[in-house]
Amino acid sequence: MAQAFIAQQLFDGEQLHREVALTVDDGKVVSVGGAPAAGAVRLEGLLAPGLIDIQVNGGGGALFNNDTSVNALCKMSAAHARFGTTGFMPTLITDQVDVMQKAADAVSAALTEGVPGVLGVHFEGPHLSAPKKGTHEEKFIRPLSEEELAIYARDDLGLKMVTLAPENVSPEDIAKLVSLGVKVCLGHSNADGKTAAAAVAAGATGFTHLYNAMSPLHSRDPGMVGTALISDGCWCGLIADGHHVSPETMILAMKAKPRGKVVLVTDAMSLVGSDEMSFPLFERIVTRDGDKLTSTTGELAGSHLDMIGAVRNIRDWCGVELTEALRMAGLYPAEFLGTDAGRIVAGAPADMILVDDKLQVQKTWIGGKEVFSVSE
């Protein structure tokens, strides 16, 4: 059934409009502008494209590594919808191959069942560098094998991402992954600039959580960080939580990269959208202190960040215009993934959020269906 709205303010992904009519039907935007339809519902605040998070480990008390089920994906979807996420890549960090297979099966089932917001799957590992493993379990880090390739080759997983260390996966294998429809990102790597550049030339198009768990920029070698900054065709994720990267290093990335190539990510763990203060991760415990997550072995273990919080942070800490911050959380990740989301224009998915003047989410729609409202 068609829905008609009048938005006090509407950001379409490119431009800001005031007092504009909007019609939605069959999960898509039908029209923007023109005379409002009879009975149109007025939306006070700013209507904007839904936010897209390409790195979500958990939410709502569920961690994907610990619970590779459709139910866990439903919990993650509901938790992050409260904070404006209308599309996300469930992320499985380095684990055993049978866990990867179960995660793939859960994503396939979620897509079949239409779990709101699930876009595909992001395998962050297991083909990483032990010296830059971060919170990943070293005993599960391993080379690419036919078992993993069989998972990456599946055509029932929606969008597919793999984060790998280029010193441990050859350019030929990276090209093979790309030919299978996988978005290859580089991360958790100690590679030198030459090795990272060869991976980009082979088809890698992303760098996972820029600056974190990767070889730094040096005067005589760009390392992973420098290669990420000078690779104009690649997207870079930033965890804007105040713990992973400083405002100054985020500003540097935005100055170095072409417009549209820096995207906001959360790297969120299970505690987002829950009242819990700790959770098990393999043989360790991760504890929340404020909005910082730390493992019993001392390292940062993901984040307690949500997407609208990332938008607020990049605006407030780095002086980014609100419309550009929203693009970094919506349009630009959509462009990285190759989807038509991130816009409110005729024909686009009706994935939208309504925020107030404090940038707090009031309503979230996925495919035209209201999935969250503060009034409920």
Side-chain angles (χ1 to χ4, degrees), residues 49-118:
L51 311 182
I52 299 169
D53 194 347
I54 62 174
Q55 191 174 3
V56 183
N57 308 291
L63 186 72
F64 201 29
N65 279 76
N66 292 349
D67 184 356
T68 50
S69 70
V70 174
N71 183 55
L73 295 175
C74 290
K75 291 179 180 179
M76 292 163 63
S77 171
H80 288 277
R82 293 170 49 188
F83 304 105
T85 298
T86 59
F88 70 101
M89 297 291 283
T91 301
L92 188 85
I93 69 170
T94 299
D95 214 319
Q96 301 174 82
V97 70
D98 65 315
V99 177
M100 296 175 68
Q101 291 166 340
K102 290 174 183 176
D105 290 343
V107 166
S108 176
L111 292 169
T112 299
E113 296 174 22
V115 175
V118 174

Side-chain angles (χ1 to χ4, degrees), residues 321-332:
E321 291 287 340
L322 174 58
T323 51
E324 182 66 4
L326 288 168
R327 291 185 195 103
M328 292 173 69
L331 178 60
Y332 301 158

Side-chain angles (χ1 to χ4, degrees), residues 55 124 128-129 131-136 163-166 185-191 206-217 223-226 228-229 236-247 249-250 253 263 265-267 292-293 299-303 305:
Q55 191 174 3
E124 188 185 351
L128 306 179
S129 166
K132 294 293 184 180
K133 66 181 181 62
T135 197
H136 290 238
T163 292
L164 55 82
C185 293
L186 308 181
H188 287 278
S189 167
N190 211 25
F207 286 79
T208 294
H209 46 52
L210 180 65
Y211 299 116
N212 299 114
M214 59 177 61
S215 50
L217 170 67
M224 284 277 288
V225 169
L229 295 178
C236 297
L238 283 179
I239 307 172
D241 66 345
H243 303 296
H244 284 80
V245 285
S246 72
T249 49
M250 290 192 288
V263 304
V265 301
T266 65
D267 197 19
K292 184 179 182 180
L293 301 183
E299 68 276 357
L300 287 173
S303 86
L305 182 66

Side-chain angles (χ1 to χ4, degrees), residues 341-354:
R343 295 178 174 85
I344 301 179
V345 295
D351 298 343
M352 309 178 298
I353 59 172
L354 182 70

